[in-house]
Amino acid sequence: MLASALQGVRVIDLSRILAGPWCTQNLADLGADVLKVERPGQGDDTRGWGPPFVKSGAGEEVAAYFLSCNRGKQSVTADFADAADRDWLLRQVRDADVLVENYKVGTLAKYGLDYASLAAINPGLIYLSVTGFGQSGPFAHKPGYDYIFQGMGGLMSYTGIADGEPGAGPLRTGVAVVDLMTGMYATSAVLAALVQRARTGRGQHLDIALLDVAVAMNANQASNYLVSGESPARIGNTHPNLAPYEVFACADGHVILAIGNDAQFVAFCRLMGADWHLQPDFATNAGRLTHLKRLRPLLREKLAAWRVEALGRALDEHGISWGDVNDMEQVFAHPQVRHRQMLQTVDHPQLGALRLVRNPMVPAGRDAPATPPPVLGPAARPRTHQPVNQET
């Protein structure tokens, strides 16, 4: 079972916010023992990123944001500026397999917690640094959040309503996709490094940058530009390479119509009682893209007369891909989502029953029980002084 694939792997998580914690949550879901080291008194910034909050019986509040990306970890607090806390952390590193951090470049070197220092005491350590711009280059010293990289990496240049239409302008996605993709790239890099270490016995420093990820995740949009020399423009809900492939209004809601090939378009035209597929301008995907401004009003007129449920049944019968536009309540009520057990309820000793989302890498069931995110943990060692906040 994948839920125990990393059993015995020890991870020290010094990361905060989303990209690093998303990676370490994946590792925890795969069976790793993840120790989240947080700032005394405050913890991970996202503990306060609310409302909404979940409140414990003792009155401690934990933001829903934090709960989304810290499942399955243990929490302790430590102050890197305190010599005794630092020595405690170094003792943990000696037996660790992986360390994940997302501090600004050079910050952890001040405390002897950089890769070179830790590799000297644990040559097998896989040390993952997640930063905005990477460990080198003219921007390496700059901080940054996901939103910045959605813009800098190009995503917002082609996301949003087309220029010249009401509401046009750059638009970010509704979730921090660069952080999440960075967390997934980081997870893959850590897993590959563990496999490589099994062959070589050596660890390594992994350098994962949000800007790099933002550039890479442009995917076909980047390739379109590199082939054509033309930067993709904002085109709303349409697709740069397929047509019709967008949201359409029906009599009682909206559907996403996703025509992936010419045969599907023929089937769709027959369902609509139209002969568009017989017209040379619309017979091929390339033609439909070229003449989409003429085709779209025809589609809108036909689809506006349908109710969503009836249209969905008809599209299914004709083998045509389509989808609803669901809100979160509808998502978790969807029969397929329920069948796949994407919603999991776990018991937290302080916060009570928590509803969390299953990691899609790990099959649902009794063999893969989910464990809850932690409340802010105890101090790594007894304190006799007020801790110093380390630089972030």
Side-chain angles (χ1 to χ4, degrees):
M1 291 291 292
L2 282 180
S4 59
L6 297 183
Q7 189 171 22
V9 173
R10 296 188 66 240
V11 179
I12 296 176
D13 183 6
L14 305 185
S15 67
R16 303 137 300 151
I17 317 297
L18 186 54
W22 198 256
C23 168
T24 52
Q25 178 172 262
N26 281 331
L27 300 177
D29 287 340
L30 294 171
D33 178 11
V34 179
L35 182 64
K36 185 176 180 70
V37 181
E38 303 186 65
R39 287 178 290 185
Q42 178 181 347
D44 190 314
D45 295 0
T46 60
R47 287 186 179 274
W49 282 19
F53 293 98
V54 177
K55 184 177 292 188
S56 71
E60 179 178 355
E61 290 186 329
V62 181
Y65 196 116
F66 177 86
L67 299 178
S68 74
C69 52
N70 287 286
R71 180 178 53 242
K73 307 174 188 179
Q74 293 181 307
S75 171
V76 298
T77 59
D79 176 13
F80 301 162
D82 180 272
D85 276 11
R86 196 162 57 249
D87 288 344
W88 171 86
L89 182 55
L90 291 174
R91 290 195 298 273
Q92 311 311 306
V93 169
R94 292 181 188 278
D95 298 322
D97 298 289
V98 179
L99 184 144
V100 179
E101 62 91 8
N102 65 345
Y103 284 81
K104 289 186 294 185
V105 173
T107 296
L108 292 183
K110 300 175 184 178
Y111 306 106
L113 299 175
D114 56 303
Y115 173 68
S117 299
L118 298 188
I121 64 174
N122 182 353
L125 181 68
I126 296 165
Y127 188 109
L128 168 65
S129 293
V130 177
T131 56
F133 296 91
Q135 297 293 302
S136 62
F139 281 55
H141 65 286
K142 290 174 62 67
Y145 288 94
D146 170 276
Y147 204 153
I148 293 168
F149 299 106
Q150 288 195 36
M152 292 188 69
L155 177 64
M156 291 174 63
S157 73
Y158 54 79
T159 301
I161 297 172
D163 289 341
E165 296 184 14
L171 190 68
R172 72 174 183 90
T173 63
V175 71
V177 291
V178 179
D179 269 341
L180 296 175
M181 285 290 289
T182 299
M184 296 308 298
Y185 272 111
T187 301
S188 297
V190 168
L191 296 177
L194 286 169
V195 172
Q196 190 171 58
R197 189 186 66 175
R199 294 198 298 264
T200 67
R202 303 290 300 180
Q204 59 185 291
H205 188 190
L206 304 175
D207 174 11
I208 305 292
L210 270 72
L211 181 59
D212 294 354
V213 171
V215 174
M217 64 183 279
N218 286 311
N220 60 297
Q221 294 282 27
S223 188
N224 289 345
Y225 162 72
L226 293 172
V227 168
S228 70
E230 298 180 5
S231 290
R234 286 182 291 276
I235 52 176
N237 284 320
T238 59
H239 193 286
N241 299 105
L242 290 171
Y245 204 96
E246 58 185 284
V247 176
F248 289 95
C250 294
D252 61 342
H254 293 81
V255 297
I256 303 167
L257 181 65
I259 302 294
N261 55 54
D262 294 340
Q264 288 183 10
F265 186 67
V266 171
F268 173 73
C269 291
R270 289 171 178 165
L271 171 61
M272 294 293 108
D275 64 355
W276 303 320
H277 60 294
L278 300 178
Q279 300 179 33
D281 287 349
F282 302 148
T284 66
N285 179 68
R288 294 191 293 275
L289 273 174
T290 302
H291 302 285
L292 188 56
K293 288 185 178 180
R294 287 175 41 219
L295 177 61
R296 185 182 288 122
L298 303 176
L299 298 170
R300 286 175 174 170
E301 182 180 2
K302 285 284 188 179
L303 292 170
W306 285 79
R307 298 183 69 83
V308 171
E309 185 176 352
L311 177 61
R313 287 197 304 267
L315 291 170
D316 285 339
E317 291 170 359
H318 285 74
I320 299 166
S321 180
W322 73 282
D324 300 299
V325 180
N326 291 330
D327 61 22
M328 285 296 102
E329 181 178 2
Q330 293 168 321
V331 167
F332 289 108
H334 193 284
Q336 185 67 13
V337 174
R338 296 179 66 176
H339 173 80
R340 299 291 295 176
Q341 299 180 52
M342 287 304 299
L343 176 62
Q344 294 182 313
T345 301
V346 301
D347 292 323
H348 193 286
Q350 289 84 28
L351 301 176
L354 295 176
R355 297 196 299 169
L356 304 174
V357 179
R358 177 176 67 83
N359 189 323
M361 290 190 293
V362 180
R366 295 179 180 178
D367 295 333
T371 53
V375 295
L376 186 60
R381 62 175 193 86
R383 290 186 197 289
T384 59
H385 70 289
Q386 184 68 26
V388 176
N389 287 331
Q390 60 259 33
E391 181 183 350
T392 59

